[in-house]
């Protein structure tokens, strides 16, 4: 623990899979989070240099804690944010959507990171990792892979490219009530604004019907909705083999196997939805 401040105590924080996290206390008060990589970064497509660049830019944008120190081993020490993770259904609340979009706009106004978001590349990387590890992909996943290729071809090149967080799960979005904080930038990359918005809805396990209200909260119009709906499905599909790898690496997490089944169902439902049918017809 090279970055542990002198005189501090550590409390392990559960829930991490690609990192192990500890709260750092000094004189009984939380002051920082110490993070240590706990994954095969090359297998999972994590670029720690880009991660740190994104975290620093997000801090400069006022939407993330400061990066206090880093180590060549991949360890990081970041400031402590005293706020809970967003609620599972937070995106259904208009006030929260407004707070989240304010944070995302600030993040998206920062310079590009130098790494392009590519869902098909991620899907191929994770799927190859599953096969090379001797694991099995879920039944019907070949059909979902075909669907992902169809979606990507329909979307074409990214538009409105900005630095995206790209992993807006509940644990990575902290809601202080008056503002939203973003943490954990392992999958940050330059991508389409619509991809970020579609990912946000997907990572909250909400259906495509929840995409348009978030798009309107962000952009003021529904113009990006069709693209965001397709990215919603594409994002879910791309993360499924990642979950298979995590389930094998962390058998101590009892719910992770259920997440795979839920994501497969969510991907199928997204692609079968009326919103998807409308979007893929109109694009």
């Amino acid at each position: 623990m090279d970055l542990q401040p002198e005189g501090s105590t550590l409390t392990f924080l559960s829930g991490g899979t690609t990192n192990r996290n500890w709260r750092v206390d000094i004189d009984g008060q939380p002051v920082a989070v110490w993070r240590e990589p706990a994954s095969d970064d090359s297998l999972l497509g994590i670029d720690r240099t880009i991660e740190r660049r994104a975290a620093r830019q997000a801090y400069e944008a006022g939407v993330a804690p400061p990066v206090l120190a880093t180590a060549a081993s991949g360890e990081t020490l970041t400031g402590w944010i005293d706020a809970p993770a967003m609620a599972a259904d937070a995106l259904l609340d208009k006030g929260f959507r407004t707070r989240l979009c304010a944070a995302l706009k600030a993040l998206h106004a920062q310079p590009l990171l130098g790494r392009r978001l590519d869902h098909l590349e991620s899907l191929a990387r994770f799927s190859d990792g599953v096969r090379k590890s001797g694991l099995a992909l879920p039944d019907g996943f070949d059909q979902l892979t075909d669907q992902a290729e169809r979606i990507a071809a329909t979307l074409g090149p990214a538009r409105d490219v900005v630095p995206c967080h790209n992993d807006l799960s509940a644990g990575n979005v902290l809601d202080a009530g008056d503002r939203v904080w973003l943490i954990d930038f392992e999958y940050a990359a330059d991508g389409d604004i619509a991809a970020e918005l579609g990912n946000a809805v997907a990572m909250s396990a909400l259906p495509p019907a929840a995409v348009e209200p978030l798009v309107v909260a962000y952009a003021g119009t529904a113009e990006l909705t069709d693209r965001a709906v397709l990215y919603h499905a594409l994002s879910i599909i791309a993360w499924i083999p990642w979950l298979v790898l995590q389930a094998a690496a962390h058998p101590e997490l009892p719910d992770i196997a259920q997440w795979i089944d839920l994501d497969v169902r969510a991907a199928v439902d997204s692609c079968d939805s009326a919103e998807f049918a409308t979007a893929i017809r109109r694009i």
Side-chain angles (χ1 to χ4, degrees):
M1 298 186 179
D2 298 336
L3 301 182
Q4 182 179 357
E6 184 176 351
S8 65
T9 59
L10 300 179
T11 300
F12 182 72
L13 300 173
S14 62
T17 55
T18 54
N19 296 284
R20 288 183 288 268
N21 305 293
W22 286 262
R23 190 187 71 218
V24 181
D25 293 349
I26 296 179
D27 296 331
Q29 297 298 316
V31 296
V33 174
W34 180 83
R35 302 173 69 232
E36 175 190 44
S39 63
D40 182 340
D41 290 351
S42 61
L43 178 65
L44 296 181
I46 297 171
D47 185 324
R48 298 292 174 181
T49 299
I50 296 295
E51 176 192 8
R52 291 172 177 177
R53 184 178 304 159
R56 289 190 173 101
Q57 288 189 180
Y59 168 68
E60 292 168 1
V63 298
V67 179
L68 304 174
T70 62
S73 61
E75 298 175 18
T76 61
L77 190 70
T78 60
W80 172 259
I81 297 294
D82 188 16
M86 71 174 185
D89 60 351
L91 283 176
L92 301 180
D93 177 74
K94 183 177 180 180
F96 176 81
R97 289 196 299 269
T98 299
R99 296 193 295 276
L100 176 62
C101 289
L104 291 178
K105 286 183 179 181
L107 177 71
H108 295 166
Q110 299 305 301
L112 295 179
L113 298 167
R115 179 189 185 186
R116 186 55 66 96
L117 173 60
D118 186 333
H119 289 86
L120 292 186
E121 188 278 333
S122 297
L123 176 60
R125 178 194 295 272
F126 300 151
S127 297
D128 287 347
V130 168
R131 296 184 184 97
K132 290 176 180 177
S133 299
L135 304 171
L137 289 163
D139 291 342
F141 191 71
D142 286 345
Q143 288 81 3
L144 287 176
T145 298
D146 292 342
Q147 188 70 282
E149 292 173 353
R150 176 193 178 207
I151 294 168
T154 300
L155 285 164
R159 307 174 189 172
D160 303 316
V161 176
V162 296
C164 294
H165 185 285
N166 193 40
D167 187 11
L168 293 169
S169 59
N172 294 339
V173 182
L174 307 182
D175 186 10
D178 60 342
R179 62 183 301 179
V180 162
W181 297 91
L182 306 176
I183 59 173
D184 292 356
F185 292 85
E186 291 168 314
Y187 288 101
D190 302 325
D192 197 314
I193 290 172
E196 184 89 292
L197 300 177
N199 171 264
V201 176
M203 298 302 273
S204 286
L206 293 174
V211 170
E212 184 171 329
L214 181 61
V215 167
V216 172
Y218 182 98
T221 75
E223 184 177 352
L224 295 176
T225 298
D226 286 343
R227 292 181 63 80
V229 163
L230 297 192
Y231 276 118
H232 174 274
L234 187 57
S235 180
I236 298 172
I237 296 169
W239 284 105
I240 290 171
W242 182 93
L243 279 173
V244 174
L245 291 169
Q246 293 303 302
H250 298 281
E252 74 279 5
L253 299 177
D255 295 334
I256 199 165
Q258 296 179 6
W259 297 349
I260 298 169
D261 293 337
L262 290 172
D263 265 26
V264 170
R265 184 70 258 166
V268 172
D269 288 347
S270 182
C271 293
D272 286 346
S273 68
E275 291 84 1
F276 182 94
T278 298
I280 207 160
R281 184 179 69 249
R282 291 198 298 210
I283 289 179

